[in-house]
Amino acid sequence: MAFAVIMLSGTMSAQNNRGYKGIVNAGWILLAEDVSFEALTIHGYQFNPHLFVGGGAGINFYSTPSGPNISKEGGFIPIFADIRGYLLKGKISPYGDAKLGILMPYDEGGTSVYFAPEIGCKFSTSSRFALNIAAEFILPQDKFGDNPHHDFYVRAGGLCLKLGIEF
């Protein structure tokens, strides 16, 4: 019953500023030597025009040189809680966002803390759809490893420039 009420509340129009909201975004993580990107999906509840609370997961991929003619590819899977505050109620609204959770490597190593504050701007294109542009800072994660052929070091995280959609 509670699930049905939550799902029906998601069909409310944006005029009410309440109900289910989904966010999908992706961006490049700017690092000195590494090629990295992040893609996330976030789902939750819009409580009013200014407050969204949800949770999400995604992938944080990197490729880094680790020696002559050798590169290391891998990544992390962030799983997190998300809170977003919109400053304005109009078609264009700056926002602040914070994600907090765990970061699990999908190749080797242990879990660590995922913390990623973000500032951005929402551009509404209809009552239930918007485009986002943002800058996020992902708490850097140092990762060391070795195998019989070479040692590697990865610094995953840093400034991420992102584009996304809200629905």
Side-chain angles (χ1 to χ4, degrees), residues 36-47:
S36 300
F37 71 88
E38 178 177 76
L40 303 175
T41 179
I42 305 163
H43 302 273
Y45 194 83
Q46 184 77 38
F47 287 93

Side-chain angles (χ1 to χ4, degrees), residues 23 42 52 82-85 95-99 116-120 136:
I23 301 168
I42 305 163
F52 168 81
D82 184 76
I83 186 165
R84 181 176 289 201
Y95 66 85
D97 184 289
K99 297 170 203 63
E118 174 181 323
I119 57 170
E136 173 184 63

Side-chain angles (χ1 to χ4, degrees), residues 61-64 66 71-75 106-107 143 152 154:
F61 173 83
Y62 64 83
S63 176
T64 183
S66 57
S71 67
K72 173 67 179 166
E73 293 182 349
Y106 66 75
D107 50 0
K143 185 173 180 181
F152 66 89
V154 173

Side-chain angles (χ1 to χ4, degrees), residues 13-72:
S13 74
Q15 308 293 342
N16 295 331
N17 299 302
R18 296 180 64 133
Y20 165 81
K21 179 188 283 191
I23 301 168
V24 177
N25 59 42
W28 290 102
I29 303 169
L30 306 176
L31 300 171
E33 299 177 42
D34 304 339
V35 175
S36 300
F37 71 88
E38 178 177 76
L40 303 175
T41 179
I42 305 163
H43 302 273
Y45 194 83
Q46 184 77 38
F47 287 93
N48 59 46
H50 303 287
L51 179 64
F52 168 81
V53 177
I59 187 165
N60 180 313
F61 173 83
Y62 64 83
S63 176
T64 183
S66 57
N69 302 320
I70 299 171
S71 67
K72 173 67 179 166

Side-chain angles (χ1 to χ4, degrees), residues 65-128:
S66 57
N69 302 320
I70 299 171
S71 67
K72 173 67 179 166
E73 293 182 349
F76 299 95
I77 299 169
I79 300 171
F80 54 88
D82 184 76
I83 186 165
R84 181 176 289 201
Y86 297 94
L87 298 179
L88 304 173
K89 189 178 175 180
K91 289 191 174 274
I92 298 174
S93 179
Y95 66 85
D97 184 289
K99 297 170 203 63
L100 179 62
I102 61 169
L103 197 58
M104 300 184 308
Y106 66 75
D107 50 0
E108 54 191 54
T111 60
S112 57
V113 172
Y114 177 75
F115 177 64
E118 174 181 323
I119 57 170
C121 193
K122 174 180 90 167
F123 301 91
S124 297
T125 59
S126 71
S127 63
R128 292 295 295 170

